Every structure is written in structure tokens, then in C-alpha cells.
Amino acid sequence: MAALNLKKSLVAGDYVMTAEDFTQIAATLKERTGIVLTEGKIALAYSRLAKRLRLLGLRSFEDYCAMLNSPDGSEELQEMLAALTTNVSRFYREPHHFETLQKVFASGIAQRARTGERIRLWSAGCSNGQEPYSMAMALLAAMPDAASFDIKILATDIDPNVVADGRKGVYRTDLLAPAPEVLRNKYFQPFDEHRLVVKESLAQLITFNVLNLIGPWPMKHKFDFIFCRNVAIYFDEQAQERLWARFAQATKAGAYLCIGHSERVTGPGERYFETAGLTTYVRGPL
Ligand SMILES: C[S@@+](CC[C@H](N)C(=O)[O-])C[C@H]1O[C@@H](n2cnc3c(N)ncnc32)[C@H](O)[C@@H]1O
């Protein structure tokens, strides 16, 4: 990793985070997740991790780094990764992707499913579930009886906390506002005064799992639709290129890949994915 041009020590609030501490934390994050923590994110890293130090009763970031490297550090490492990832998501974020999903299902995939083909979708970097639930609603809008066929959405994220939230499927009512009214009324019900909970008819299509996108992928089947949005943007170029190439291997010919608004498929994977609209690609033959 390039040497950081930081002042020798940064004093902010209760703790001191030195350039060495930050460099070590950033290197660990990159090695484990592919995420690049630039110098500009030091204040963010400080504020998110200071909470961990307080909770653990540690006195300095030096002690924190030592703890991460100790034999008992693996649990805290997971907490650190969770604290440093950005989990922002929204229902029907970039709605054109859900319109595409609905159209592609209505015009072809639904028919293939009806003839017995296994259809798999993947929300890779699903955060707290708003993306895969939106995918499931778009899918059911095109094919209301989808649950009677071999159709599943895999929803994965590196952060176990957001995966657990996704499984619960409880959201503030206002967060559901971008979803089409008819679909949110059909597939969500009141949980309490301010929140809605997903109904089984929607939840049954989705399997939530913890998965690190830069680690091994245990899935053997090929996907028909992948959403991987606003995830690779945090990776360095090499990790991004590797991810696109792996998506090419993990998809059927004719499958769709939807990525974030400021992302672009680059590197060896590029030759397998043809542009099919805004931040949307179709996988050609291998
Ligand atoms: C900004 S959110 C995007 C959520 C959703 N895809 C969307 O666009 O609304 C990025 C998500 O990617 C996850 N993430 C980051 N690095 C990851 C990795 N190496 N493997 C799996 N998930 C990762 C984060 O935990 C976070 O939940």
C-alpha cells in the first residue's frame, strides 16, 4: 500500500489515531474485503471505530490494532469490517433496473421457469434487504405465481448484521414509499405503528447468507440475473476487474448484470458483457 501523507498523529476526540494505526486498519480492510479506505476517509474511520474502542474499554488505536492481530482478534475483525462498510440502500433504488427485471421476466424468463428451468437471481452486496425485496416484488409483478416454480433470489453481504436485518424484513413505513403502492400493499403488512414487515409470500423467494465477494463462492449453479450495485465502487481496480470476470463465469449466456450508477464493467470480464441500457449488461456466450 502507498505510504500515506498523514500527520504523524491525529488527535480527535478521546483517542489518538496515528498514521501507522490508520495504515494498518486500511490494509486489513483491503485484504479482507477489497475495500479501499483512502486518506480522505480517516475521520469516518475514526468516528466509526472509536465506538468500538469505547465498547471494548480500550485506551488507544494502537491497543485496538494489537487486539485485531491477537489470536482472539477474529471476532473483533468482523465487527471492524462491519463498522467500516457503507450499508446505504433504498427500495427501488435506480428504478430502471427493476423495470428491466420485470420486463425480462415477463418476456422470457417466466416461460423458461414454467418449462422447469432453474432460475436464479443474486443480490450481491444486498445490505439490509431493500434491494432483494425490490427484486422479488418486480419479479412477482411479472409472474405472480413465481413461488410455484424453481425460482430463487440469493441475497448476500459480507456484514452479518445487515444480513440479519434482511432476514427480519422489518422496515420503517416511509422507506417503502418508492416501491409501487400495489406491490407494497400486497407483500408487506403492518408490524407496528411506524413499521412494515415482509409477508411470507415475498420472503419465501429469498435466501439471505453472509458471503465475502472477494472470497470463495460456494454456489455451483449459474445465475440469470445479478444485481451488484454500489459495492465494487469501494474496491480497487484489480478487485473490481476480478469481480466482473467472476460474474461472467457465474452467469448463463443471456443473463443480466445490473451495477451501480458510477460503476462500469472493465478488464477481462468486459468482453463477455454487452451494454443493454444504463448500467445494465447482458452476458454473451463464453
Ligand atoms: C452501499 S451498500 C449497497 C447496497 C445495495 N446493493 C444497493 O445498491 O442499494 C454496499 C454493500 O456492500 C457490502 N460489501 C462491501 N464489501 C463487500 C464484500 N467484499 N463482499 C460482500 N459484500 C460487501 C457492504 O457490507 C454493503 O452492505
Side-chain angles (χ1 to χ4, degrees):
M1 182 171 191
L4 289 173
N5 179 24
L6 295 169
K7 282 185 221 123
K8 183 78 182 133
S9 66
L10 298 146
V11 186
D14 300 340
Y15 307 101
V16 173
M17 183 188 261
T18 65
E20 288 76 27
D21 298 333
F22 180 74
T23 304
Q24 194 179 326
I25 287 165
T28 307
L29 184 72
K30 186 168 164 210
E31 186 195 325
R32 300 296 177 125
T33 67
I35 297 172
V36 178
L37 203 57
T38 55
E39 231 179 279
K41 298 267 175 73
I42 191 161
L44 179 128
Y46 176 92
S47 71
R48 291 191 182 175
L49 294 180
K51 289 187 193 132
R52 297 298 313 158
L53 268 71
R54 225 162 277 137
L55 213 81
L56 294 163
L58 294 176
R59 290 174 48 209
S60 69
F61 274 95
E62 195 182 346
D63 291 351
Y64 187 67
C65 290
M67 181 185 179
L68 289 174
N69 289 324
S70 74
D72 302 331
S74 61
E75 229 171 85
E76 184 50 35
L77 184 64
Q78 196 56 54
E79 293 291 344
M80 183 191 93
L81 303 182
L84 292 177
T85 49
T86 300
N87 302 124
V88 176
S89 191
R90 284 193 303 281
F91 281 98
Y92 274 76
R93 181 182 205 178
E94 294 163 57
H96 61 97
H97 286 151
F98 301 97
E99 284 158 21
T100 301
L101 171 56
Q102 192 170 328
K103 253 190 240 151
V104 169
F105 250 81
S107 64
I109 298 187
Q111 193 44 37
R112 282 167 34 209
R114 289 187 197 288
T115 58
E117 186 177 332
R118 172 198 286 181
I119 302 296
R120 291 293 178 269
L121 297 84
W122 185 9
S123 168
C126 65
S127 188
N128 56 11
Q130 300 186 51
E131 181 176 272
Y133 286 126
S134 302
M135 291 167 74
M137 282 191 275
L139 191 169
L140 286 170
M143 190 184 184
D145 58 346
S148 311
F149 300 92
D150 192 1
I151 302 176
K152 282 269 173 236
I153 299 173
L154 174 67
T156 64
D157 200 282
I158 196 172
D159 181 348
N161 302 320
V162 292
V163 170
D165 287 345
R167 277 198 197 107
K168 279 189 209 130
V170 176
Y171 301 95
R172 275 196 347 252
T173 305
D174 59 304
L175 295 179
L176 263 303
E181 194 179 355
V182 59
L183 294 174
R184 80 172 178 256
N185 290 343
K186 192 165 175 191
Y187 296 115
F188 284 82
Q189 61 195 9
F191 180 74
D192 60 23
E193 204 186 331
H194 304 291
R195 291 179 296 174
L196 298 172
V197 62
V198 65
K199 287 189 189 172
E200 184 52 26
S201 51
L202 190 72
Q204 66 180 341
L205 288 173
I206 306 173
T207 306
F208 283 96
N209 272 324
V210 174
L211 182 100
N212 184 351
L213 283 171
I214 69 157
W217 297 354
M219 305 82 81
K220 297 281 174 276
H221 51 256
K222 303 243 178 200
F223 289 93
D224 298 272
F225 230 107
I226 297 180
F227 275 53
C228 186
R229 309 182 312 156
N230 311 300
V231 181
I233 182 89
Y234 299 105
F235 293 177
D236 69 2
E237 200 181 324
Q238 201 188 357
Q240 287 188 11
E241 290 188 359
R242 183 151 185 266
L243 184 65
W244 309 135
R246 290 179 84 190
F247 281 153
Q249 297 298 327
T251 39
K252 298 177 190 168
Y256 279 72
L257 170 68
C258 295
I259 63 175
H261 60 91
S262 41
E263 294 161 344
R264 197 165 62 85
V265 172
T266 52
E270 202 180 337
R271 82 183 114 117
Y272 302 111
F273 287 111
E274 283 163 31
T275 304
L278 194 61
T279 53
T280 305
Y281 296 83
V282 174
R283 217 302 248 109
L286 275 186

